[in-house]
Amino acid sequence: MSLPLPDSDALAASHALQQLIAAEIEQQGGAIAFSRFMELALYAPRLGYYSGGAAKLGADGDFTTAPEITPLFGATLARAAAAIIAQSAPNIIEFGAGTGKLARDVLTALQADGVAVESYTIIELSGELRARQQEALKDFPQVRWLDGFPDAFSGVVLANEVLDAMPIELVVKTAGGWRRQMVTVEGGRFAYVQHEFDAALMEQLARQVPGADTLPEGYLTEIHPVACGFMASLARMFESGKGAALLFDYGFPAHEYYVDQRSGGTLMCHYRHHAHPEPFYLPGLQDITAHVDFTAMALAAQDAGLEVLGYMSQAGFLLGYGIGELLMRTDPEDAVRFLPQSKAVQKLVSPAEMGELFKVLAVGRDVELPAALLQADRSHRL
């Protein structure tokens, strides 16, 4: 691959992480689950991609998210948050808040509309990002940080591109049935080796992949037990309260996910704004993601006691909550201000850009989404 070379400090950090992973592989008898490899590559203390010190977002990072494109994304989410707060409580939790821009844009818009927010809690695993968030949000005293789920909660949960970065299991169909892709060390390099399933993983496969037995030999895909566990944790958090979680991410319902054209899976890595499929390249210096199976997420939420409030494209959600109206608050005659915002909104809602690939899953308890979103709802396709 022809990718930008990291500096010597970054290379040293990646080498240290590779040694840590290799040591665990040896301790575990020669192989670890891919989910464990991905967990260490992304979250190992001080060395993982999200727990290390490198920039992740924006021009100097590896990828750009919707909140970084325009404040109108956050302003639109603020409208959704206000509608949920009116039915529950004036509290917001954001998972994986990036640079803090989404939180700032949401809080700024809510403040301008006279909607009080008593607490805005950020759950962030990256020390580098938490420091950036604290600087960006220093003017909002209601913001606090936690390392994990609170025991109980009422209000709004926001999660933008969080599910895709949760460790996944890689599985492959062989002549002898489904096998789990494990990670070993061969010739000083990480490599895949196949192991048999355990009962829990087999149950997850049967639950998640429709027609798994009919897929062809060699078919590789992902299953998402960690993300399903996250949905169950959301349900426990809402158990004695009410509110809704809005989860934005790229992915598909199951019947579009496990199809012939995705026979190699959806695993993708992001390094310096280059996308490639090699998770063993410079561990700790690149993001590793997989598309979200929204059917699996919805079922996990329902199984744990939450209601599926809606599922739609990002375009349907943003247009339904009036991002076009928010754009028109900038005078179209003021080309210097209007055109960049118009271009940004087009990127967020165009089917050729983020509008169709990105979806929104809303789950919750004892609240409803507004009628304006019903025409965009695709819950029946889950």
Side-chain angles (χ1 to χ4, degrees), residues 3-24:
L3 295 173
L5 292 176
D7 61 31
S8 58
D9 289 343
L11 276 174
S14 179
H15 182 65
L17 179 58
Q18 291 174 58
Q19 290 181 313
L20 183 151
I21 296 171
E24 177 156 331

Side-chain angles (χ1 to χ4, degrees), residues 54-263:
K56 282 84 178 163
L57 299 162
D60 297 328
D62 302 300
F63 55 90
T64 299
T65 62
E68 306 296 320
I69 295 172
T70 171
L72 295 178
F73 181 80
T76 309
L77 265 64
R79 287 185 161 192
I84 297 166
I85 283 172
Q87 303 172 66
S88 56
N91 306 308
I92 299 175
I93 290 177
E94 184 181 355
F95 286 89
T99 62
K101 190 174 186 304
L102 178 59
R104 188 179 65 205
D105 291 343
V106 167
L107 286 167
T108 299
L110 289 172
Q111 190 175 65
D113 290 340
V115 179
V117 176
E118 291 183 3
S119 69
Y120 195 113
T121 302
I122 293 175
I123 298 176
E124 179 61 67
L125 299 178
S126 167
E128 180 264 335
L129 289 175
R130 183 181 289 205
R132 293 176 70 177
Q133 294 159 13
Q134 289 169 339
E135 175 62 25
L137 297 166
K138 60 187 178 183
D139 295 330
F140 296 95
Q142 67 270 61
V143 179
R144 61 174 184 154
W145 282 262
L146 291 178
D147 294 325
F149 284 85
D151 292 334
F153 179 74
S154 286
V156 185
V157 172
L158 302 177
N160 183 60
E161 292 196 56
V162 170
L163 294 172
D164 67 88
M166 293 186 178
I168 49 93
E169 296 287 356
L170 289 179
V171 296
V172 61
K173 182 78 171 293
T174 73
W178 285 93
R179 294 290 185 267
R180 183 184 201 177
Q181 293 278 71
M182 307 282 281
V183 179
T184 188
V185 178
E186 292 181 355
R189 297 176 179 273
F190 296 122
Y192 290 120
V193 61
Q194 294 172 3
H195 280 215
E196 291 186 356
F197 276 22
D198 58 25
L201 202 57
M202 185 61 75
E203 182 179 348
Q204 181 79 26
L205 176 76
R207 175 74 161 152
Q208 187 175 319
V209 183
D213 291 340
T214 66
L215 291 170
E217 184 177 334
Y219 194 96
L220 176 78
T221 193
E222 308 90 17
I223 54 177
H224 304 76
V226 175
C228 288
F230 175 84
M231 301 303 292
S233 295
L234 282 179
R236 286 192 293 272
M237 188 181 72
F238 276 119
E239 194 168 13
S240 60
K242 59 182 179 178
L246 305 175
L247 303 116
F248 291 72
D249 230 311
Y250 45 90
F252 313 98
H255 71 275
E256 296 177 14
Y257 199 118
Y258 309 104
V259 292
D260 288 347
Q261 60 263 43
R262 271 183 273 281
S263 61

Side-chain angles (χ1 to χ4, degrees), residues 42 49-50 62-63 164-165 268-270 285-289:
L42 296 181
Y49 179 76
Y50 283 107
D62 302 300
F63 55 90
D164 67 88
M268 191 59 61
C269 304
H270 301 273
L285 303 187
Q286 63 173 358
D287 196 14
I288 305 174
T289 73

